[in-house]
Amino acid sequence: MFEPSIALYDDQVNNDVTVAILLLALWAVLARGLYRLPFRKTAHKLRRASRWLFAGTVLAVLLVPTRLVTILVLGGYGSHFAMDRLWIGMPLAGVPAIFALVLTLPRLKRFAVEEVPDRTAAPTDEQRLRAAAPAISLPARAAAIGSLVTLVRLIFAPAPPLFVPVLVTLAVVGAWVLVLSRRHRARTTGGTVRPMLHGRARTRRNLLGTVTVLALVAAYAAWDWQASRLPDSYSMMDHTMTYGSGPAAGHGHLAAGSTRTTAESISVADLTGPRTGTPDKRFTLTATEAKMNLSSGAVIDAVVFNGQLPGPELRVREGDLVEVTLVNKTRNVPTTIHWHGIDVPNAEDGVAGVTQDAVAPGKSHTYRWVAGQTGTYWYHSHQQSSTQVRRGLFGPLVIEKKDAPQPANVKEFMLSSHVWDTDKGEVTSLNADDTLRREAVAPGTPVRIRLVNSDNFLKTFTLTGAPYKVTALDGNDVNAPTDLSRVKLPLGGGGRYDLEFVMPDGPVRFADLAAPQAGLLLSPDGKGELAPLTEVPEFDPTRYGTALPTEFGPDSTFDRSYELILDNKPGFFDGNPYYLWTINGSVFPDVPMLMVREGELVKMTIVNRSFLEHPMHLHGHRVLVLSRNGKRVTGSPVWLDTITIVDGETYEVAFKADNPGLWMDHCHNLTHAAMGMTVHLGYENVHTPYRAGRATGNVPE
Ligand SMILES: [Cu+2]
């Protein structure tokens, strides 16, 4: 069977759109030519036109199976990549094409082979009437209309369930063609062909038509523009809710539209970590505005924690009660701290307007939670995160294993790959190093690189000079990792890798391929050179390490399942025009809240049919990857908190609903999240007292 290539997905979409555009162009030209056929000046010209139109119609009819092929190729990526195209594109192209084949072509053929005794003679009335028959031009006009509507629906692709949008689309075209067919019949009443409008009458009619269409489009756009404005103050509880495949929540559930604070309802504010007890680790993170320098000297107008770029590394031990006090000493940057990848109690999650109010300048806020996981994590602002994280309000966080603390001789490098806005433009760096960083490491030393992608986009990294293991994904240990050498490591925004190797006698080079001149060079004496690897295959975490039993898996029975279709379309977000990043065809806050009940096993299928990757980050839960692009995980179990779904990909993931609250599930390309690629996971009987929106000062994304 045909194996779809993810790398070629964008090309396949382009192929399909190109065929759809060709169909429109060809049918539009044919429709015009066929409609004017009765008005050819001579019988000879009528015959010549018929021949061209015959050839053109054959070509257009042949494009229909071509489109079917391009749609089926997309279907190879999964049904969600093809179904809307199939159900809309095929009837709208196929039905008129069949009519053209059966009705138009034989009639054109007759004109094409007819004897023309006098080349200068005008067509007879009988010929004109025949040329004006609806059978000649109506199929082509219907095909042109169908192709136009098909293209519009390619730009505004409907998300499942498809039944209603497909039916409405087909009905609109059907009604349009019906009106046209009535006018066609009126064209030949009385035994003559009614002449076409000419001169000013024609101009007036065309103008009227154009103005009407533009007015309708403008009216819709104006309504959409206004409707997209976010309220000045809104609650996440205003969302509509969806229950996926599972039952709607039972007795005492929070019905949509109610105030949703029943007697049994728990406030997010009460879902805190331990409020009492002496913390094992205590930190203070003080936010300030500061001009910061990268190693090249580039200057950043930054907001930082404790004057550092990135923020200080917080290192705790598994089981520790951690207390972090955020002190906001900025002049005008209200902020919060989110513990990315750590399944803290909901009230400690740090999302402004959902789990707390943003901490205003001059104020402070204390987070307390117990470190229940181990590995590499990071913390960052979740107030206006798309600008605040970019400007520096983030830092690394490590939770060491309780029973297996890190040996003292391990040389560790904590690296955040980031993109900064500097006085020299956009600069990619590892921590604050946008030039090559050199370090002396003695041969034989165990080395660990903890890598965080704190940027928005998928990055690709390589390590050259020593065989190495990927020992953790998003902080979660890989079971029995094997040595890697000639691969590149893709990592989506928000994701983490732990890499381990033993320092060899020669140099080792770690590089972000987006900035190969920078990176890290380790050698016994801190000198030497080594170019980064570039043209090597990509590492696939779903085929790495050794399988291990998990408490649930692809064959489990799920209590509830959800489908998230990631896509894009033009539209408005909060009153501004954008190319929107949509979830199931909608943007925040119109994406219904995904409801779960505590204890449920939930499956999520995430399909990316947009043209960019989306690192989807579910707060408060680790998810287990069940399959990637229809293939089950064959290596070590893959537990992630940030699943990077590249365009053309489909992931099936599952998680246990074991952390009650209201949790964001959003794209960690934070500009996408800020423009609508955000949904919430809601537990039944949990409500938030916090509100978001301009008037509240809380802007989570
Ligand atoms: Cu995204």
Side-chain angles (χ1 to χ4, degrees):
M1 187 53 195
F2 154 78
E3 172 102 12
S5 155
I6 299 303
L8 291 180
Y9 170 73
D10 290 1
D11 293 340
Q12 307 293 13
V13 172
N14 287 341
N15 289 344
D16 186 52
V17 173
T18 305
V19 176
I21 291 172
L22 282 178
L23 272 166
L24 172 62
L26 200 49
W27 282 122
V29 171
L30 287 168
R32 185 182 154 91
L34 289 164
Y35 192 76
R36 287 156 175 256
L37 194 61
F39 306 109
R40 302 288 150 174
K41 291 269 186 304
T42 66
H44 172 69
K45 282 182 174 164
L46 196 157
R47 186 175 70 175
R48 201 173 55 189
S50 299
R51 287 174 179 172
W52 281 112
L53 291 166
F54 184 91
T57 305
V58 169
L59 194 63
V61 168
L62 286 178
L63 271 180
V64 178
T66 310
R67 176 97 211 278
L68 182 62
V69 170
T70 59
I71 291 175
L72 290 179
V73 166
L74 285 173
Y77 290 84
S79 66
H80 288 311
F81 296 92
M83 279 309 176
D84 58 318
R85 293 164 191 263
L86 200 64
W87 294 127
I88 291 171
M90 278 301 110
L92 292 188
V95 173
I98 289 167
F99 278 96
L101 199 66
V102 175
L103 300 178
T104 311
L105 285 179
R107 284 170 173 78
L108 286 178
K109 189 182 164 203
R110 192 172 155 196
F111 282 118
V113 298
E114 245 167 5
E115 287 292 326
V116 178
D118 180 357
R119 290 174 70 95
T120 56
T124 64
D125 283 351
E126 185 272 340
Q127 279 177 319
R128 285 195 199 278
L129 275 173
R130 255 198 296 135
I136 289 213
S137 58
L138 194 58
R141 297 184 94 189
I145 292 165
S147 304
L148 179 69
V149 171
T150 297
L151 267 184
V152 171
R153 288 258 75 162
L154 278 180
I155 297 167
F156 300 94
L162 292 176
F163 185 74
V164 171
V166 167
L167 207 66
V168 168
T169 307
L170 298 184
V172 165
V173 175
W176 191 344
V177 172
L178 208 66
V179 170
L180 268 190
S181 78
R182 298 186 85 92
R183 283 174 46 180
H184 263 269
R185 245 175 287 147
R187 208 180 169 204
T188 50
T189 46
T192 54
V193 183
R194 199 173 61 193
M196 287 172 63
L197 290 176
H198 281 289
R200 288 170 67 175
R202 182 184 167 76
T203 313
R204 199 180 316 138
R205 193 205 50 190
N206 286 352
L207 208 64
L208 195 71
T210 312
V211 167
T212 309
V213 170
L214 286 181
L216 284 174
V217 170
Y220 175 77
W223 170 81
D224 196 32
W225 175 45
Q226 286 308 315
S228 80
R229 283 184 189 282
L230 293 175
D232 286 339
S233 167
Y234 57 92
S235 166
M236 299 304 154
M237 307 312 295
D238 300 340
H239 284 298
T240 55
M241 299 178 183
T242 171
Y243 296 90
S245 67
H251 173 69
H253 83 275
L254 309 170
S258 77
T259 58
R260 308 212 184 97
T261 45
T262 65
E264 298 153 70
S265 182
I266 303 161
S267 167
V268 159
D270 296 330
L271 296 168
T272 64
R275 289 287 95 182
T276 56
T278 311
D280 301 291
K281 295 275 171 28
R282 189 177 260 152
F283 304 96
T284 300
L285 291 174
T286 304
T288 54
E289 290 113 334
K291 294 273 185 218
M292 300 295 291
N293 287 302
L294 294 180
S295 62
S296 67
V299 183
I300 303 158
D301 180 18
V303 195
V304 292
F305 288 120
N306 297 6
Q308 287 172 249
L309 193 83
E313 176 184 308
L314 309 185
R315 193 171 277 259
V316 304
R317 185 75 74 83
E318 183 182 4
D320 278 356
L321 172 58
V322 181
E323 182 182 293
V324 184
T325 303
L326 163 63
V327 179
N328 189 343
K329 288 194 178 164
T330 65
R331 286 183 302 279
N332 57 8
V333 185
T335 192
T336 67
I337 300 177
H338 166 63
W339 313 98
H340 185 117
I342 304 177
D343 303 336
V344 298
N346 199 210
E348 315 294 341
D349 198 43
V351 181
V354 182
T355 67
Q356 69 172 92
D357 285 323
V359 181
K363 296 277 192 294
S364 66
H365 182 92
T366 300
Y367 299 90
R368 285 169 65 102
W369 43 268
V370 174
Q373 297 147 272
T374 62
T376 305
Y377 300 91
W378 64 304
Y379 59 89
H380 62 78
S381 161
H382 229 300
Q383 158 78 1
Q384 290 188 315
S385 58
S386 59
T387 50
Q388 292 193 6
V389 175
R390 179 101 171 170
R391 288 180 70 189
L393 280 180
F394 69 93
L397 193 155
V398 174
I399 308 175
E400 288 189 1
K401 291 192 175 73
K402 190 174 202 163
D403 49 359
Q406 185 139 288
N409 67 332
V410 172
K411 179 81 181 158
E412 200 172 287
F413 295 94
M414 184 89 227
L415 303 175
S416 293
S417 170
H418 203 71
V419 175
W420 307 95
D421 299 309
T422 76
D423 59 339
K424 295 189 175 70
E426 207 171 72
V427 175
T428 299
S429 75
L430 286 174
N431 300 341
D433 296 307
D434 58 337
T435 54
L436 185 65
R437 171 181 169 195
R438 292 173 175 278
E439 295 282 347
V441 179
T445 308
V447 180
R448 182 199 287 265
I449 291 177
R450 295 182 185 267
L451 176 66
V452 178
N453 183 352
S454 54
D455 181 38
N456 286 328
F457 289 98
L458 181 77
K459 302 279 201 76
T460 308
F461 303 89
T462 58
L463 196 145
T464 322
Y468 64 95
K469 295 180 171 74
V470 174
T471 53
L473 305 165
D474 283 2
N476 303 293
D477 286 344
V478 173
N479 182 46
T482 50
D483 273 340
L484 297 170
S485 53
R486 298 189 60 80
V487 291
K488 51 185 176 187
L489 305 167
L491 185 60
R496 284 92 60 215
Y497 281 132
D498 283 23
L499 312 179
E500 284 182 42
F501 58 94
V502 175
M503 187 63 195
D505 295 332
V508 171
R509 176 74 181 271
F510 178 77
D512 172 347
L513 294 187
Q517 80 290 348
L520 178 65
L521 192 127
L522 310 179
S523 62
D525 57 1
K527 298 192 176 78
E529 294 296 339
L530 189 61
L533 277 176
T534 49
E535 294 306 313
V536 283
E538 222 166 63
F539 169 66
D540 180 357
T542 65
R543 310 238 153 316
Y544 181 63
T546 306
L548 202 65
T550 43
E551 60 171 309
F552 50 87
D555 298 318
S556 297
T557 307
F558 297 95
D559 300 304
R560 209 176 281 280
S561 58
Y562 286 106
E563 233 172 34
L564 300 184
I565 300 196
L566 313 179
D567 207 339
N568 35 226
K569 67 173 181 189
F572 295 95
F573 184 75
D574 200 12
N576 291 304
Y578 289 112
Y579 211 61
L580 300 174
W581 303 100
T582 59
I583 298 175
N584 296 337
S586 304
V587 288
F588 177 84
D590 297 333
V591 193
M593 181 156 4
L594 312 173
M595 296 301 293
V596 295
R597 181 179 295 176
E598 190 174 359
E600 283 182 338
L601 191 57
V602 185
K603 180 177 160 181
M604 239 184 226
T605 304
I606 314 177
V607 179
N608 184 354
R609 57 181 202 192
S610 75
F611 57 74
L612 254 187
E613 87 281 355
H614 299 291
M616 294 302 288
H617 173 51
L618 172 63
H619 289 209
H621 303 76
R622 285 186 315 163
V623 301
L624 178 69
V625 176
L626 304 176
S627 74
R628 178 189 187 186
N629 305 328
K631 290 188 191 135
R632 289 184 177 191
V633 173
T634 58
S636 164
V638 177
W639 290 94
L640 301 172
D641 52 64
T642 311
I643 316 139
T644 299
I645 306 111
V646 170
D647 24 341
E649 284 198 316
T650 300
Y651 270 77
E652 286 180 305
V653 301
F655 64 92
K656 188 97 182 166
D658 56 3
N659 196 1
L662 286 178
W663 301 99
M664 278 186 104
D665 186 3
H666 65 97
C667 180
H668 223 282
N669 184 323
L670 297 171
T671 58
H672 294 182
M675 289 194 295
M677 200 169 242
T678 294
V679 62
H680 288 80
L681 180 77
Y683 279 67
E684 67 167 336
N685 293 332
V686 175
H687 72 272
T688 179
Y690 303 107
R691 298 182 72 81
R694 279 173 286 265
T696 67
N698 292 324
V699 184
E701 296 93 5

